[in-house]
Amino acid sequence: ERSVDCDVVLALLRRALRQRPELRVVLMSATVDASKFLAYFRDFEPRRLVVPGFAYPVTVSYLEDLKALLNLDPPSAKRQGDKDAILKFAANVARAAAKRPTHHGAILVFVAGVADVNRLCRDLGSSEEENDLIVLPLHGSLSAPEQRRAFDMVKGGDRQQKKKKVKVVISTNVAETSVTIPDVTVVIDLL
């Protein structure tokens, strides 16, 4: 996403390239107008590399749809501004989605900040009934090994009890446009 911070960094990079021609800059984006950046860095003979993206079929469900889909009552209109009620509801949606017989893959939940990530991870991972969920945080303050856990594929559950393990990744918007978690099939976006 373009921002003032990014524009300042680009200006500093262009200045650095003048002083250090051996420096290589790689800009990556799925949505940016590459021609503007090629023009901005034209003095340095920029090259463009295009990697084809993939479009996956998506079904969008809104708050009102969840009653029919998951048999859950969304928070009332007056409680929709209540962060506690929304986080509790998101936890219930994740639980219900994971328990659906047709569910496969991981669940990704986007929340506003690290405090919400930590709270939702605690809420989802705290009860005995949640032992079929593998709840993982994902945000920029985690170490690289901790962040990598969100990308690991989950092995099957306990075959004797016929329980499957479902990975639930609770993330800030760091993952919203910059990473792809390959086994995610359900996204709950609270942003």
Side-chain angles (χ1 to χ4, degrees):
E1 300 295 320
R2 290 278 310 271
S3 69
V4 172
D5 295 337
C6 289
D7 289 350
V8 169
V9 168
L10 290 171
L12 292 171
L13 282 171
R14 192 161 74 170
R15 182 182 294 173
L17 284 167
R18 283 195 180 97
Q19 294 172 353
R20 296 197 41 211
E22 78 282 1
L23 185 65
R24 297 292 175 248
V25 176
V26 178
L27 302 175
M28 297 184 293
S29 175
T31 58
V32 78
D33 180 1
S35 63
K36 289 181 182 179
F37 290 94
L38 290 169
Y40 185 73
F41 287 103
R42 70 181 163 270
D43 296 344
F44 308 101
E45 299 177 21
R47 295 185 201 131
R48 180 178 182 180
L49 174 67
V50 176
V51 178
F54 302 97
Y56 295 96
V58 173
T59 301
V60 177
S61 301
Y62 294 96
L63 198 57
E64 304 81 35
D65 303 324
L66 293 177
K67 176 135 177 93
L69 283 173
L70 300 173
N71 199 25
L72 289 176
D73 285 321
S76 65
K78 82 176 181 183
R79 293 202 62 209
Q80 286 182 16
D82 178 358
K83 185 186 260 191
D84 290 337
I86 296 297
L87 288 174
K88 227 175 247 189
F89 184 67
N92 289 335
V93 169
R95 285 184 193 105
K99 289 180 182 173
R100 290 183 78 187
T102 58
H103 178 76
H104 65 281
I107 298 171
L108 175 59
V109 183
F110 290 116
V111 295
V114 174
D116 292 344
V117 168
N118 293 335
R119 173 161 172 212
L120 204 47
C121 283
R122 267 193 319 273
D123 290 352
L124 278 171
S126 64
S127 73
E128 278 300 309
E129 72 181 46
E130 308 306 335
N131 63 6
D132 56 335
L133 298 181
I134 299 170
V135 182
L136 301 168
L138 180 60
H139 53 78
S141 301
L142 296 172
S143 68
E146 289 172 312
Q147 289 182 24
R148 271 193 294 273
R149 289 180 59 215
F151 300 92
D152 292 341
M153 301 296 279
V154 172
K155 304 287 187 265
D158 183 345
R159 290 185 193 272
Q160 292 173 340
Q161 296 178 1
K162 296 187 178 171
K163 279 190 167 182
K164 61 182 178 184
K165 294 283 187 182
V166 176
K167 178 173 72 174
V168 180
V169 178
I170 314 296
S171 177
T172 59
N173 64 351
V174 69
E176 198 166 26
T177 58
S178 58
V179 298
T180 301
I181 300 174
D183 57 338
V184 168
T185 57
V186 173
V187 176
I188 302 167
D189 192 348
L190 301 182
L191 300 175

